[in-house]
Amino acid sequence: MDALSLTFAALADPTRRAILARLSRGEASVKGLVGPFAMTPPAASEHLRGLERAGLIERGKQAQWRPRRLTARPLRDVAEWVGQYRPHWEERFERLDAFLSNLQDGQQHEKGFDDDRDQD
Amino acid sequence: MDALSLTFAALADPTRRAILARLSRGEASVKGLVGPFAMTPPAASEHLRGLERAGLIERGKQAQWRPRRLTARPLRDVAEWVGQYRPHWEERFERLDAFLSNLQDGQQHEKGFDDDRDQD
């Protein structure tokens, strides 16, 4: 599997994203990572392996504790990939803006019409 | 599956990302989308279903042609999600910058030291 696909696959799970969120605040032991999620140890290992395969986390060198830490490079690649589509969602907002301001103009126009009638 | 996980799962395939890239240049028929990729029709349908489930594409209303088009909203959600990690990769670059400029200072210092020796 290509690197970007591996990254997206690893991110396609709320628990793995929660582990990343935890590691974004600093490195943590496996125990410290798994505790808050009420997972079985095999499930936890599988999640950590998925994140590691994608290069999203790495292990410290300390023999005993081996804390996991976030590696941001694949996330930067995701940001770059998705960034190429930015004009599409910005365009949508521009269309929405235009729609809303047309709507507002319409209402003001209608209000003007009502005022005219009030003067009759 | 939550919406963001669905989106990431749909993006975890190079063919599906290529289909999005094609649609980012304008809507296309299923035939027009599938042609360039040499896929079997069932494989193509499965890819399109995956993208549709994630809300990344939608079908036009025309009964005959039913062109697919990109819907950018889930991509914006990906950009927002990944954007929260931006300080991490920017920090890495800052550390690299600091490292390189230290290295450069070191070399200039060493050069100065060599120059001193030359004057002996």
Side-chain angles (χ1 to χ4, degrees):
Chain A
M1 213 192 246
D2 65 283
L4 199 53
S5 297
L6 262 179
T7 304
F8 281 129
L11 296 176
D13 181 275
T15 304
R16 288 195 292 273
R17 293 198 302 277
I19 291 173
L20 286 184
R22 166 62 193 82
L23 288 177
S24 77
R25 302 197 303 273
E27 58 182 27
S29 68
V30 174
K31 224 177 187 174
L33 282 173
V34 168
F37 298 112
M39 282 183 288
T40 64
S45 300
E46 188 47 39
H47 280 318
L48 293 174
R49 254 201 305 276
L51 290 167
E52 220 170 317
R53 251 196 318 265
L56 285 160
I57 66 174
E58 61 183 13
R59 321 185 177 200
K61 293 290 182 291
Q62 296 93 320
Q64 291 291 324
W65 188 45
R66 314 212 71 188
R68 264 59 171 184
R69 63 173 151 260
L70 184 76
T71 45
R73 172 71 191 264
L75 295 171
R76 193 195 60 183
D77 294 342
V78 166
E80 269 175 22
W81 181 85
V82 80
Q84 69 187 316
Y85 292 95
R86 182 174 299 275
H88 286 273
W89 69 77
E90 282 175 351
E91 187 196 338
R92 275 185 87 89
F93 280 120
E94 277 161 28
R95 283 209 300 259
L96 184 65
D97 264 0
F99 172 75
L100 290 177
S101 83
N102 280 341
L103 205 67
Q104 212 169 25
D105 289 353
Q107 281 172 338
Q108 280 168 350
H109 189 258
E110 219 177 301
K111 194 164 167 278
F113 183 70
D114 283 341
D115 288 348
D116 287 345
R117 286 203 299 187
D118 286 343
Q119 289 169 352
D120 279 348
Chain B
M1 212 192 248
D2 65 283
L4 200 53
S5 297
L6 261 180
T7 304
F8 281 130
L11 296 177
D13 180 276
T15 303
R16 287 194 294 271
R17 293 198 302 277
I19 291 172
L20 287 184
R22 166 61 192 82
L23 288 177
S24 76
R25 302 195 304 275
E27 58 181 26
S29 69
V30 175
K31 224 177 187 173
L33 282 172
V34 169
F37 297 112
M39 284 183 287
T40 63
S45 299
E46 188 47 39
H47 280 318
L48 292 174
R49 254 200 305 275
L51 290 168
E52 219 169 321
R53 252 195 318 265
L56 285 160
I57 66 174
E58 60 183 14
R59 323 186 173 197
K61 292 290 180 293
Q62 296 93 324
Q64 291 291 322
W65 187 45
R66 311 212 73 189
R68 264 61 170 181
R69 64 173 151 259
L70 185 76
T71 45
R73 172 72 192 264
L75 295 171
R76 193 196 62 183
D77 295 340
V78 166
E80 269 175 23
W81 180 86
V82 81
Q84 69 187 318
Y85 292 94
R86 181 172 299 275
H88 286 273
W89 69 79
E90 280 173 354
E91 187 196 340
R92 276 185 86 88
F93 280 118
E94 276 161 28
R95 282 209 301 261
L96 184 65
D97 264 0
F99 172 75
L100 290 176
S101 82
N102 280 341
L103 204 70
Q104 210 170 27
D105 289 352
Q107 281 172 339
Q108 279 166 351
H109 189 258
E110 219 177 301
K111 194 164 168 279
F113 183 69
D114 283 339
D115 288 345
D116 287 344
R117 285 203 300 187
D118 286 343
Q119 288 168 354
D120 278 347

